[in-house]
Amino acid sequence: DVVLTQTPPTLSATIGQSVSISCRSSQSLLHSNGNTYLNWLLQRPGQPPQLLIYLVSRLESGVPNRFSGSGSGTDFTLKISGVEAEDLGVYYCVQSTHAPWTFGGGTKLELK
Amino acid sequence: QIQLVQSGPELKKPGESVKISCKASGYTFTDYAMHWVKQAPGKGLKWMGWINTYTGKPTYADDFKGRFVFSLEASASTANLQISNLKNEDTATYFCARGFRLFDYWGQGVMVTVSS
């Protein structure tokens, strides 16, 4: 199974600060069809996860453009350019290139 | 608008069974696969598997083979998860999520508590 390792596990930020979260895969997430199926989710406290970014860098409809995704192969990054209070919660990467689909362990974003 | 509405919380004893539902609305149910995801208290997300809503064929992750059954009531745009012979470690919130590779819409989650 593909193992996704997220770092850091916890991130403290002030409002307006820019932060990055890393997701490293145990094998390449490039599918034979040319797509890389790496998504980012945010789970706010007491809420279900919501999709932020899919296919590495495509912003889901309605998601603010302060969120951006990048990367290729085995190394991926989620960046938040100017944290807002509503961004607090746990961020997960998830891969759907190789069955079984797997989630990263999560990165908790909290206020400093 | 697109919604996945799940059934209510459950309190069960070890050895009992539970069936939870996920009712979809706002889109054509059979156009999108449905995943099931487990979240134990205070823990991360774990993919349980998915069901092809067009054919009804389920696929289970290795840790969820045997006691877990995914099913459909396609006429009611509903996906179901049944867990038999419940164990304490099945205590968790169970989410349904839409889309074969996407996870673009999620249900609100169902808390299942297993306790004697």
Side-chain angles (χ1 to χ4, degrees):
Chain A
D1 297 0
V2 173
V3 176
L4 298 180
T5 302
Q6 287 186 234
T7 55
T10 304
L11 195 49
S12 296
T14 57
I15 300 300
Q17 183 180 351
S18 291
V19 298
S20 292
I21 299 169
S22 168
C23 177
R24 185 159 292 177
S25 175
S26 60
Q27 58 184 278
S28 174
L29 299 183
L30 177 64
H31 194 276
S32 57
N33 66 11
N35 289 323
T36 299
Y37 296 102
L38 188 284
N39 302 342
W40 288 95
L41 310 171
L42 165 60
Q43 186 175 29
R44 297 185 176 96
Q47 297 294 313
Q50 69 166 103
L51 179 65
L52 298 176
I53 287 174
Y54 62 99
L55 291 171
V56 179
S57 59
R58 299 190 186 183
L59 205 61
E60 173 69 349
S61 176
V63 174
N65 60 12
R66 63 180 178 274
F67 292 93
S68 61
S70 62
S72 63
T74 61
D75 288 314
F76 303 91
T77 301
L78 174 71
K79 183 176 180 181
I80 311 172
S81 300
V83 168
E84 299 194 4
E86 66 182 19
D87 300 338
L88 304 182
V90 181
Y91 290 81
Y92 295 95
C93 54
V94 53
Q95 69 83 23
S96 49
T97 294
H98 304 289
W101 302 169
T102 49
F103 291 90
T107 294
K108 184 176 183 179
L109 177 62
E110 54 189 26
L111 273 182
K112 190 180 293 182
Chain B
Q1 74 283 22
I2 294 168
Q3 283 189 300
L4 301 179
V5 179
Q6 297 186 242
S7 48
E10 301 273 3
L11 176 59
K12 295 290 184 180
K13 291 180 167 49
E16 294 184 336
S17 295
V18 68
K19 187 174 184 178
I20 60 181
S21 66
C22 170
K23 183 169 176 60
S25 61
Y27 70 99
T28 301
F29 182 69
T30 51
D31 282 353
Y32 294 84
M34 194 71 78
H35 298 276
W36 289 96
V37 176
K38 177 182 180 181
Q39 187 169 41
K43 302 296 186 183
L45 303 171
K46 187 164 188 177
W47 186 73
M48 301 174 66
W50 67 284
I51 186 164
N52 183 319
T53 55
Y54 186 76
T55 64
K57 180 177 183 290
T59 299
Y60 302 96
D62 284 347
D63 286 349
F64 298 97
K65 291 178 179 174
R67 299 188 296 114
F68 300 82
V69 175
F70 306 151
S71 63
L72 301 175
E73 296 170 49
S75 60
S77 298
T78 298
N80 300 306
L81 164 64
Q82 183 161 353
I83 311 171
S84 59
N85 189 21
L86 282 162
K87 305 177 187 303
N88 290 333
E89 54 263 37
D90 295 325
T91 293
T93 297
Y94 294 87
F95 295 100
C96 57
R98 189 186 83 152
F100 180 58
R101 298 187 192 275
L102 205 53
F103 300 92
D104 59 351
Y105 286 88
W106 291 68
Q108 82 275 19
V110 176
M111 180 69 204
V112 175
T113 303
V114 183
S115 174
S116 53

